[in-house]
Amino acid sequence: MQKELVIAGRQFGSRLFLGTGKFPSTQSLSDSIRASGCELVTVALRRVNLADSGDDILSGIDRAKVEIMLNTSGARTAEDAVKIARFGKDFFQWIKLEIHPDPNYLLPDPVETLKAAEILVNKGFIVLPYINADPVLAMRLQDAGVAALMPLGAPIGTNRGLETRSQIEIIIEQADLPVVVDAGIGV
């Protein structure tokens, strides 16, 4: 029997998280959320028009049923990520912390991620960091107070499957937090 997924006190019936970056329309996003049963979606700030709720990706998400997690995608430093989170602070408490300085490979920066996580947790955000499958970093982030760990299965967009399985298994063994495998898995 599968253990319930609880992150930051919220129970999720679905283990599928959905990114909003590839949807061509608000309606297709809304239809996909409904069909998949997903209860947590990530949204990059550049996709959100906070001034007009009828003209942005948020209008396709029923916030009573689905948690929205702001993605700091595009951040190259801890300072960038914290700035992005602060811009969205009135609308988002959940943060997918994603810092990747190299636009070709989009691999997460462990040093900047730890710095940003410490700052954001202290500011009261619920932080889920996207990281390399590094058990040492995972424990440091857990000690910093993040709500879950999100190690990559393979580099973003590669669809190569679970290349980091042995490291993820160590993270799961050692962590007292939920572990959500993110990126590169494919379908």
Side-chain angles (χ1 to χ4, degrees):
M1 184 170 167
Q2 241 182 30
K3 188 177 170 186
E4 291 178 340
L5 177 61
V6 179
I7 301 174
R10 176 157 179 181
Q11 182 176 333
F12 292 92
S14 171
R15 291 178 174 270
L16 175 67
F17 297 176
L18 192 61
T20 58
K22 300 288 183 185
F23 288 93
S25 70
T26 301
Q27 187 61 51
S28 65
L29 170 64
S30 182
D31 292 346
S32 294
I33 291 170
R34 200 171 21 266
S36 70
C38 118
E39 298 169 281
L40 190 141
V41 298
T42 64
V43 177
L45 192 59
R46 66 182 171 271
R47 297 233 22 204
V48 178
N49 179 355
L50 297 173
D52 183 357
S53 64
D55 186 34
D56 68 70
I57 203 75
L58 296 181
S59 66
I61 302 169
D62 182 349
R63 292 189 86 161
K65 297 177 182 174
V66 177
E67 190 68 55
I68 300 175
M69 182 163 56
L70 178 63
N71 187 336
T72 65
S73 176
R76 293 177 181 236
T77 65
E79 184 180 341
D80 292 345
V82 170
K83 203 178 291 183
I84 291 167
R86 282 201 320 247
F87 284 138
K89 73 177 179 195
D90 293 335
F91 299 91
F92 308 100
Q93 184 182 16
W94 291 61
I95 302 292
K96 179 182 179 189
L97 180 57
E98 192 172 313
I99 301 173
H100 37 74
D102 181 347
N104 292 326
Y105 297 102
L106 303 176
L107 293 171
D109 182 317
V111 175
E112 295 296 305
T113 298
L114 181 57
K115 277 197 259 184
E118 291 170 340
I119 293 166
L120 293 171
V121 166
N122 285 331
K123 291 186 177 294
F125 288 99
I126 296 168
V127 179
L128 286 76
Y130 167 66
I131 61 172
N132 289 301
D134 178 343
V136 174
L137 175 61
M139 293 305 95
R140 297 262 176 124
L141 287 161
Q142 178 174 284
D143 292 345
V146 301
L149 300 162
M150 298 181 73
L152 57 80
I156 292 175
T158 61
N159 296 323
R160 294 194 294 205
L162 213 53
E163 292 186 332
T164 59
R165 183 182 189 109
S166 60
Q167 295 97 320
I168 290 171
E169 288 173 350
I170 294 168
I171 293 170
I172 292 168
E173 174 189 317
Q174 294 179 340
D176 295 324
L177 298 173
V179 176
V180 178
V181 178
D182 184 24
I185 298 170
V187 283

